[in-house]
Amino acid sequence: MFLGIDLGGTHIKAVLLNESGQVVHEKQLATCASEGTAAVMAKLSALIVDADRGFPGELQRIGLAVPGVLDQERKRVVLLPNFPDSWHGFELREHLMLVTGQEVELINDARAAAFAELNLGAGRGISDFLLLVLGTGVGGGVVLKGELILGSRGVAGELGHQVIQPDGLLCGCGNRGCLETIASGPAIASAAIRVLKQGLPTLMRELVQDDVSKVNSSIVDEAAVRGDRFAIDILKGAANALVQAIRNGIAILNPGAVIIGGGVARSGFLLDLVRRGLESRVILFPSTLGGVDVVEAVFGTYAGAVGAAAWAMSRRTS
Ligand SMILES: [Zn+2]
């Protein structure tokens, strides 16, 4: 039995994966990272005890997915950009190993999602693909010849931090105009809030009853489906940025598919725009060579946890 934990900015999710790769247990708790490392460690321990209770003595190894930069060689967390400063330098893996007495394997959360899709989801049978996770940020992963690519320092696959607009909005990574600043859930919501604040006649205003705090990417999707031109323009902007980023990926890696997951990907409207954009704008190769399938991810919010468990399983002999 392998335990996968996804330490997210808002929730910690845990799953147990059996030897056949089936999820036999899943649970989540709110992270509350601002309460400090000890409080979050207590929640991690509670999730582990809870998972272990149903299958005592069967836990072999733990995979821990984190939303940040890792030093894969030294097995250390280098940066958790969305966590408070008090987390800086906290030896997360060592603490978890001490508490559990188990070996802990670290992986970036989006790379974990790519690993889940590769082994158990939409990527099965596809040897080369890109994964984009459109959520609070835009995560990415690259699979080539059936292998998850981590690069020379373990940070390959940061597809969300491709610069699409050099003079664009400031990104959490310090650059300007990254894909994440245009196509993440908060980026789409911010664009909608700007439309509302300009007093434009949009259906989105009605959908949130004039309360901008209720605006999110689902509202934009709903308005677009119902023909609201302002919502459609926002999603077109996000889709164009995604198409440009995917075109870059095609030029460098020639993947057979792009798997898109995350909450924002539930917008069928956005995915259709991306598909149409790719069909009309991928001109680098004849379509028989450069065509790429846009596929929806199988795993939803537990993708990182499932991938972390699968990662732990794959590392058991290392
Ligand atoms: Zn960035």
Side-chain angles (χ1 to χ4, degrees):
M1 211 68 78
F2 299 88
L3 181 68
I5 300 175
D6 183 3
L7 176 62
T10 53
H11 287 92
I12 308 170
K13 301 186 180 98
V15 303
L16 265 179
L17 215 56
N18 67 16
E19 291 280 347
S20 322
Q22 289 163 320
V23 174
V24 294
H25 167 93
E26 62 180 42
K27 189 166 181 173
Q28 62 174 311
L29 292 173
T31 309
C32 306
S34 59
E35 290 174 8
T37 52
V40 175
M41 283 306 296
K43 288 183 182 185
L44 287 171
S45 301
L47 282 169
I48 293 164
V49 167
D50 191 60
D52 195 47
R53 193 174 293 137
F55 307 89
E58 290 187 47
L59 185 59
Q60 295 186 44
R61 192 171 274 247
I62 296 172
L64 177 64
V66 296
V69 180
L70 304 174
D71 184 334
Q72 209 77 42
E73 228 169 72
R74 296 196 181 91
K75 300 188 172 188
R76 290 190 64 233
V77 178
V78 176
L79 183 68
L80 292 172
N82 296 319
F83 277 56
D85 287 348
S86 58
W87 281 75
H88 189 74
F90 179 63
E91 297 287 353
L92 187 55
R93 177 172 170 268
E94 277 68 20
H95 277 84
L96 201 54
M97 282 172 56
L98 209 64
V99 168
T100 61
Q102 298 279 349
E103 184 63 33
V104 174
E105 299 287 350
L106 285 173
I107 185 168
N108 165 275
D109 56 355
R111 251 68 82 201
F115 200 69
E117 296 296 337
L118 166 66
N119 290 287
L120 305 165
R124 278 181 298 180
I126 305 175
S127 68
D128 306 276
F129 68 84
L130 308 177
L131 173 85
L132 283 163
V133 184
L134 312 180
T136 312
V138 174
V142 173
V143 168
L144 291 178
K145 295 184 177 170
E147 297 271 342
L148 179 67
I149 301 300
L150 296 172
S152 62
R153 306 284 299 278
V155 292
E158 287 291 353
L159 303 174
H161 295 286
Q162 293 177 68
V163 175
I164 303 291
Q165 291 174 339
D167 302 320
L169 297 170
L170 196 61
C171 180
C173 73
N175 269 332
R176 281 190 179 275
C178 294
L179 176 63
E180 182 166 303
T181 67
I182 309 166
S184 65
I188 290 170
S190 298
I193 289 168
R194 277 198 295 277
V195 168
L196 259 70
K197 286 189 172 168
Q198 284 165 14
L200 296 165
T202 169
L203 176 63
M204 294 185 284
R205 187 182 314 284
E206 200 179 298
L207 293 175
V208 299
Q209 289 148 339
D210 221 5
D211 180 355
V212 291
S213 71
K214 289 184 184 164
V215 173
N216 57 34
S217 61
S218 304
I219 295 286
V220 181
D221 178 54
E222 189 181 340
V225 169
R226 289 167 64 178
D228 181 77
R229 68 186 176 92
F230 299 102
I232 290 171
D233 279 351
I234 291 168
L235 292 185
K236 274 185 179 170
N240 285 343
L242 284 163
V243 167
Q244 198 177 328
I246 293 167
R247 287 177 76 194
N248 292 343
I250 291 171
I252 300 167
L253 301 167
N254 188 204
V258 180
I259 300 174
I260 303 188
V264 180
R266 283 198 288 273
S267 163
F269 198 94
L270 179 67
L271 290 199
D272 278 347
L273 288 174
V274 170
R275 281 194 188 96
R276 270 185 269 147
L278 284 169
E279 278 164 18
S280 63
R281 291 173 64 185
V282 174
I283 53 172
L284 192 62
F285 309 105
S287 60
T288 47
L289 294 179
V292 66
D293 291 328
V294 176
V295 183
E296 216 174 313
V298 164
F299 293 104
T301 56
Y302 279 88
V306 172
W311 181 249
M313 192 194 292
S314 76
R315 311 283 284 184
R316 61 180 139 181
T317 52
S318 66

